[in-house]
Amino acid sequence: MPIATDEVPAKRERRKQARPGELLQAALELFVEKGFAATRAEEVAARAGVSKGTLFLYFQSKEELFKAVVHEAMGGKFEAWNEEFERFEGSTDEMLRYCLNSWWERIGATPASGLTKLMVGEAANFPELAEDYRRQVIAPGHRLIRRILERGVARGEFRIPDLDYAVYSVVAPMIFLMMNQHSQGACTPDGQPLDPQRFLAMQANALLAGFMVRTHGGAP
Amino acid sequence: MPIATDEVPAKRERRKQARPGELLQAALELFVEKGFAATRAEEVAARAGVSKGTLFLYFQSKEELFKAVVHEAMGGKFEAWNEEFERFEGSTDEMLRYCLNSWWERIGATPASGLTKLMVGEAANFPELAEDYRRQVIAPGHRLIRRILERGVARGEFRIPDLDYAVYSVVAPMIFLMMNQHSQGACTPDGQPLDPQRFLAMQANALLAGFMVRTHGGAP
Amino acid sequence: MPIATDEVPAKRERRKQARPGELLQAALELFVEKGFAATRAEEVAARAGVSKGTLFLYFQSKEELFKAVVHEAMGGKFEAWNEEFERFEGSTDEMLRYCLNSWWERIGATPASGLTKLMVGEAANFPELAEDYRRQVIAPGHRLIRRILERGVARGEFRIPDLDYAVYSVVAPMIFLMMNQHSQGACTPDGQPLDPQRFLAMQANALLAGFMVRTHGGAP
Amino acid sequence: MPIATDEVPAKRERRKQARPGELLQAALELFVEKGFAATRAEEVAARAGVSKGTLFLYFQSKEELFKAVVHEAMGGKFEAWNEEFERFEGSTDEMLRYCLNSWWERIGATPASGLTKLMVGEAANFPELAEDYRRQVIAPGHRLIRRILERGVARGEFRIPDLDYAVYSVVAPMIFLMMNQHSQGACTPDGQPLDPQRFLAMQANALLAGFMVRTHGGAP
DNA sequence: AATGAATGAGGGTTCATTCAT
DNA sequence: GATGAATGAACCCTCATTCAT
């Protein structure tokens, strides 16, 4: 009998496997947009194209859904990224620019970027979740950036007196950008989100102007 | 003009007139901490030391309370500040440092700083309010900073190719700092808010390193 | 009459025809234990080893299932029993003792005994069903017992001033015993169900002490 | 100032104090009638003359309401009763008759009598509550009756070979009577509840016929 | 003016019932 | 026939809002 056991799932089955993902995506969008409390379970279901009851087939409660959304969006974005930087061979200023750009591609431009806005808004309501988020997202991100800066210093490319806080100089624009993208432009005077590439390019210049050892009149 | 519009109220009325202010303050704190939907009207009343009924004596609804909170917190922080900068006489790099510091004193360190976190979180749920906020807070802030940068350029102190976005370079750290202060440290790996002075000093250095016309390789 | 109405079903059908019976049995157990409303249709199906959908293949609704359960459990327990007593030839005190014992064997000790607890609990929610139950179970039972008592009186063995209520003296312990067996011992101080034989023996003695014409002071 | 601090409560206040009791009474009636699961919280509120929300002002949840109902109905019915029997001076057969009659007046005829039906129906769903019920109602009742029987034996009035189960002979008719009163007559062929006095009188006779030492041709 | 008991619309969650597979 | 994913009516419970005191 040449028929494989799991050839093609029946249509019903296929939906079933897709459901949790569809619900998580819908929930992420709505939670990011409106916050946890202001999002109705039925809205999430509707956006995922199912009825209210179906949501509770896959998640025990709205709160469990929320936790699942956060944990799903946190999921190992850093492993591959970390490795990539291990193997990076160019100058550290190239590395930092590359870091900002690839961060944008891998995180900033994806739905996962809403996660930061979500956590900023809900950290006080879900402290354990905020803890997870710091451990699994913020801390690895910090370590990654710190390693880049340390490399720059070690190779004599950067001069950074206050390394601890220098990391925040790199992090701040990324977080600002995500807030901006997900807050109906609440941070820009015209209500339009920024152009991310343009913003990041400018930030990279500013950061490097601060970090780089200047030879005679140097940089940008 | 012999008739003052807001004379000192008679003793009898003082208490009464204080109520709305206490409610607004309590509401600001709670809305910033937990968001609009997750904050219960009764909590606000309790924190203000009055009963649930009293809150609705002064504000028609929770939504009206929210609007009042936002408008109150937005209230003309810029007039005095603007004037101050009109009269500033030092170098523009001093001016920018002074700007960041006085911003921290006047806004960052006050309860009003939560407003930004609040608007980022609720912009989608209250679009008209977000519009007000952009007009009355974001836009004046931008204009102020832009004027400083333009002064620097005009006086040959700064070289700034992309002035529009350079403003965001100044704004971003301030917004990041406010997010950080009001999100249970959701932006720092250890869950502790940053030291604002240290962070702002570092940011000022970085910004000026990027903006300032360099004479002979000198760092800040 | 050569045509039996319920011949043995063909093998193919036997399984299929068994289903409703398994469901009825599972449902009886659960309804007796937890009540109608607190029993979930899915539990019944699970205990019968089928899926939720299958239950509704055989019964139009949970309510129909309930009615079927009750009617099934009520089913003609009295015909054979009645006949037996028609042919009884001993003394009436033996007859009464025999009645209690065979009641225990035929009803008390079977799953059908839960029916009484069920009806006591649900009579108010299913009045028509309670009516059926009274007609098909309670009334025949009463007639049976009354006939025994009347026989005793007719034969000069018993002296019973209030025959109508004397029937309840016989019924009461049986009903008490069933309640006790099906209510987690809610009627006993230690939460253990009674020993039925011991209880019934004692009751028979007590009843007969009350009914029997006493010759010269003799106890049972 | 001759005005006492708690003269007469304001109308509102008076209602407030009465509410829990009104709700408990309404709940007891409905739970007894329909069972816990089949009773809707809103019905209870309506029967108590308040709205749905008000119920939850006084009881955290439907389940807490249920527990309160049961505990309230269990409440110390035995203290006074016990004392009374300590002081009883007549013959023990009078005592037993008196016991059945006063039980009827104090418990059987009151709403609290529904409690037994309630517990029989819900014991499996609320095991801890059933435990409380056994400890606070069943056990004291048993002790009371046992003491009466023991007194009879000690005074040579009764001869009771199996004292443990003899207690159940006394308890059984009382429980049967309560079931009957609260089950739409599910235990009588005509659907009418029994006449309690008549039933109890007959039971007393029957019991005493079984218990009493017979002199020469004895009792009723 | 201030209170807080009462209300009831609204939202989370359950579960009997349906129906595509 | 059998399944179990999906549905949505119904129910518990919350909380903004009202109003008698």
Side-chain angles (χ1 to χ4, degrees):
Chain A
M1 273 247 249
I3 296 170
T5 44
D6 46 13
E7 194 93 5
V8 170
K11 222 173 279 170
R12 197 67 169 275
E13 191 58 24
R14 197 161 35 206
R15 297 310 306 277
K16 191 198 166 179
Q17 289 171 4
R19 280 285 136 77
E22 291 165 4
L23 285 162
L24 286 170
Q25 189 187 329
L28 176 58
E29 288 170 19
L30 283 161
F31 287 151
V32 168
E33 198 176 320
K34 317 170 65 159
F36 174 75
T39 299
R40 286 185 303 139
E42 197 165 10
E43 281 179 281
V44 174
R47 183 168 298 197
V50 299
S51 76
K52 203 172 17 164
T54 301
L55 183 133
F56 292 95
L57 231 51
Y58 294 97
F59 301 95
Q60 289 199 21
S61 67
K62 192 185 168 191
E63 197 161 328
E64 287 304 314
L65 170 65
F66 182 70
K67 290 179 188 167
V69 162
V70 172
H71 282 123
E72 153 96 1
M74 280 179 351
K77 304 271 176 183
F78 285 96
E79 277 93 74
W81 210 20
N82 262 323
E83 277 180 49
E84 205 171 321
F85 282 96
E86 301 288 349
R87 285 179 275 112
F88 198 92
E89 300 204 329
S91 68
T92 311
D93 77 307
E94 282 169 352
M95 201 175 174
L96 189 63
R97 286 181 198 279
Y98 178 72
C99 172
L100 291 178
N101 286 325
S102 68
W103 167 82
W104 177 251
E105 278 164 25
R106 288 158 183 275
I107 294 178
T110 72
S113 77
L115 186 59
T116 302
K117 187 203 158 189
L118 197 46
M119 286 316 307
V120 165
E122 304 293 345
N125 301 326
F126 299 90
E128 21 16 89
L129 217 52
E131 175 65 21
D132 291 348
Y133 170 73
R134 280 193 300 266
R135 237 201 323 264
Q136 295 189 39
V137 177
I138 297 295
H142 266 247
R143 282 195 294 270
L144 181 70
I145 289 163
R146 174 178 268 267
R147 227 171 316 140
I148 295 171
L149 300 187
E150 284 171 343
R151 178 185 190 264
V153 171
R155 291 165 53 128
E157 294 170 285
F158 292 174
R159 185 182 321 145
I160 302 179
D162 184 349
L163 190 64
D164 287 340
Y165 269 47
V167 176
Y168 292 119
S169 295
V170 183
V171 167
M174 296 195 279
I175 287 185
F176 171 77
L177 189 54
M178 291 192 290
M179 292 296 147
N180 178 268
Q181 304 287 315
H182 292 286
S183 63
Q184 318 277 350
C187 318
T188 47
D190 55 2
Q192 294 308 309
L194 299 179
D195 172 352
Q197 314 290 355
R198 188 173 162 198
F199 176 74
L200 288 172
M202 153 138 293
Q203 288 302 126
N205 288 341
L207 289 166
L208 290 168
F211 293 152
M212 287 183 74
V213 171
R214 282 176 222 92
T215 40
H216 19 250
Chain B
M1 262 220 277
I3 299 174
T5 42
D6 45 15
E7 209 134 5
V8 175
K11 262 175 217 154
R12 266 291 182 66
E13 290 195 350
R14 199 173 291 158
R15 178 84 214 165
K16 168 171 122 186
Q17 300 217 351
R19 283 283 142 78
E22 290 162 6
L23 283 162
L24 287 169
Q25 187 188 329
L28 175 60
E29 289 170 19
L30 284 163
F31 287 152
V32 168
E33 196 176 323
K34 317 169 64 157
F36 174 75
T39 299
R40 297 184 339 181
E42 194 164 13
E43 281 180 281
V44 174
R47 186 171 295 198
V50 299
S51 77
K52 212 177 355 172
T54 303
L55 189 156
F56 289 93
L57 223 54
Y58 292 104
F59 302 95
Q60 288 197 24
S61 67
K62 193 184 167 192
E63 198 162 328
E64 288 304 316
L65 170 64
F66 183 70
K67 290 180 187 166
V69 162
V70 173
H71 282 121
E72 154 94 359
M74 283 181 346
K77 304 270 177 184
F78 286 95
E79 279 92 76
W81 209 21
N82 262 322
E83 277 178 50
E84 204 172 322
F85 283 96
E86 301 289 349
R87 286 178 273 113
F88 198 92
E89 301 203 328
S91 69
T92 312
D93 77 308
E94 282 168 353
M95 201 176 174
L96 188 62
R97 285 179 198 279
Y98 179 73
C99 172
L100 292 179
N101 285 325
S102 68
W103 166 82
W104 177 250
E105 278 164 24
R106 289 160 182 275
I107 295 178
T110 73
S113 76
L115 188 59
T116 302
K117 186 201 159 191
L118 197 47
M119 286 315 307
V120 164
E122 303 293 345
N125 300 326
F126 300 90
E128 6 41 69
L129 216 52
E131 175 65 22
D132 292 349
Y133 171 73
R134 281 194 298 267
R135 234 198 332 262
Q136 296 187 41
V137 177
I138 297 295
H142 266 245
R143 280 196 295 273
L144 181 69
I145 289 162
R146 173 178 268 268
R147 226 170 320 139
I148 294 170
L149 299 187
E150 284 171 342
R151 179 183 189 265
V153 171
R155 290 164 55 131
E157 293 170 287
F158 291 174
R159 184 182 323 143
I160 301 179
D162 183 348
L163 190 64
D164 286 341
Y165 269 46
V167 176
Y168 291 120
S169 296
V170 183
V171 168
M174 296 195 280
I175 287 184
F176 170 78
L177 190 54
M178 289 192 292
M179 292 296 148
N180 179 267
Q181 303 287 317
H182 292 285
S183 63
Q184 317 280 336
C187 318
T188 45
D190 55 2
Q192 295 307 311
L194 297 180
D195 172 351
Q197 314 291 355
R198 188 174 164 198
F199 176 74
L200 288 172
M202 153 141 293
Q203 287 304 125
N205 288 341
L207 289 166
L208 290 168
F211 293 152
M212 287 183 73
V213 171
R214 277 174 226 93
T215 41
H216 24 249
Chain C
M1 264 223 272
I3 299 174
T5 41
D6 44 15
E7 210 134 6
V8 175
K11 263 175 216 153
R12 266 292 180 66
E13 290 194 350
R14 198 173 291 158
R15 179 83 215 166
K16 167 173 124 187
Q17 300 218 350
R19 282 285 141 78
E22 289 162 7
L23 283 161
L24 287 169
Q25 187 188 331
L28 175 59
E29 289 169 17
L30 284 162
F31 287 151
V32 168
E33 197 177 322
K34 316 168 64 157
F36 174 75
T39 299
R40 298 186 340 188
E42 194 164 13
E43 280 179 282
V44 175
R47 185 171 296 198
V50 300
S51 77
K52 214 177 355 173
T54 303
L55 188 155
F56 289 92
L57 223 54
Y58 291 103
F59 303 94
Q60 288 197 24
S61 67
K62 192 185 168 191
E63 199 162 328
E64 289 303 317
L65 170 64
F66 182 70
K67 290 179 187 166
V69 162
V70 173
H71 282 122
E72 153 94 0
M74 283 181 345
K77 305 269 177 185
F78 286 96
E79 278 92 75
W81 211 20
N82 262 321
E83 278 178 49
E84 204 170 325
F85 283 97
E86 302 288 351
R87 287 178 272 112
F88 198 92
E89 302 203 328
S91 68
T92 312
D93 77 307
E94 283 170 351
M95 200 175 173
L96 188 62
R97 285 179 200 280
Y98 178 75
C99 172
L100 291 178
N101 286 326
S102 68
W103 166 82
W104 177 251
E105 279 164 25
R106 288 159 182 275
I107 296 178
T110 73
S113 76
L115 187 59
T116 302
K117 187 201 160 190
L118 198 47
M119 286 315 307
V120 164
E122 304 293 346
N125 300 325
F126 299 90
E128 7 38 71
L129 217 52
E131 175 65 23
D132 292 349
Y133 171 72
R134 281 192 299 266
R135 233 195 334 259
Q136 296 187 41
V137 177
I138 297 296
H142 266 246
R143 281 195 294 272
L144 182 69
I145 289 161
R146 174 179 269 267
R147 227 170 317 140
I148 295 171
L149 300 187
E150 284 170 343
R151 180 184 189 264
V153 172
R155 291 164 53 130
E157 294 169 286
F158 291 174
R159 184 182 323 145
I160 301 180
D162 184 348
L163 191 65
D164 286 340
Y165 270 46
V167 176
Y168 292 120
S169 295
V170 184
V171 168
M174 296 195 280
I175 287 185
F176 171 78
L177 189 54
M178 291 191 291
M179 292 297 148
N180 179 266
Q181 304 287 316
H182 293 286
S183 62
Q184 318 279 339
C187 319
T188 46
D190 56 0
Q192 296 306 312
L194 297 180
D195 171 352
Q197 313 292 355
R198 187 174 164 198
F199 176 73
L200 288 172
M202 154 141 292
Q203 288 304 125
N205 288 342
L207 289 166
L208 290 169
F211 293 153
M212 286 182 74
V213 171
R214 279 175 225 94
T215 42
H216 24 247
Chain D
M1 275 251 245
I3 296 170
T5 43
D6 46 14
E7 194 94 5
V8 171
K11 223 173 280 171
R12 198 67 170 273
E13 190 57 26
R14 198 162 32 204
R15 298 310 307 275
K16 192 198 166 180
Q17 290 171 2
R19 282 285 135 77
E22 292 164 4
L23 284 162
L24 286 169
Q25 189 188 330
L28 175 59
E29 289 170 19
L30 284 162
F31 287 151
V32 168
E33 198 176 322
K34 318 171 64 160
F36 175 75
T39 299
R40 286 185 302 140
E42 197 165 10
E43 281 180 281
V44 175
R47 183 169 297 196
V50 298
S51 75
K52 205 178 6 174
T54 301
L55 187 149
F56 292 96
L57 231 51
Y58 294 97
F59 301 94
Q60 289 199 22
S61 67
K62 192 186 166 190
E63 197 161 328
E64 287 304 315
L65 170 65
F66 182 70
K67 290 180 187 167
V69 162
V70 173
H71 282 123
E72 153 96 1
M74 282 181 347
K77 303 271 176 184
F78 286 95
E79 277 93 75
W81 210 21
N82 262 322
E83 278 180 49
E84 205 170 321
F85 282 96
E86 302 287 350
R87 286 179 276 112
F88 199 92
E89 302 202 330
S91 69
T92 311
D93 78 305
E94 282 170 352
M95 202 174 173
L96 188 63
R97 285 180 199 279
Y98 179 72
C99 173
L100 291 178
N101 285 326
S102 68
W103 167 82
W104 176 251
E105 278 164 24
R106 289 158 183 275
I107 295 178
T110 73
S113 77
L115 187 59
T116 302
K117 187 203 158 189
L118 197 46
M119 285 316 307
V120 165
E122 304 293 346
N125 300 325
F126 298 90
E128 21 15 89
L129 217 52
E131 174 66 21
D132 291 348
Y133 171 72
R134 281 193 299 266
R135 236 200 323 264
Q136 295 188 39
V137 177
I138 297 296
H142 266 246
R143 282 194 294 270
L144 183 69
I145 290 162
R146 174 179 267 268
R147 228 172 315 142
I148 295 171
L149 300 188
E150 285 171 342
R151 180 184 189 264
V153 171
R155 291 165 53 129
E157 294 170 287
F158 292 175
R159 185 182 321 144
I160 300 178
D162 184 349
L163 191 66
D164 287 340
Y165 269 47
V167 177
Y168 292 119
S169 295
V170 183
V171 168
M174 296 195 279
I175 287 185
F176 171 77
L177 189 54
M178 291 191 290
M179 292 297 147
N180 179 267
Q181 303 287 316
H182 292 285
S183 63
Q184 317 278 348
C187 319
T188 47
D190 55 2
Q192 294 307 310
L194 297 179
D195 171 352
Q197 314 291 355
R198 188 174 164 198
F199 176 74
L200 288 172
M202 152 138 296
Q203 288 303 125
N205 289 341
L207 289 166
L208 290 169
F211 292 152
M212 287 183 73
V213 172
R214 280 176 224 94
T215 40
H216 18 248

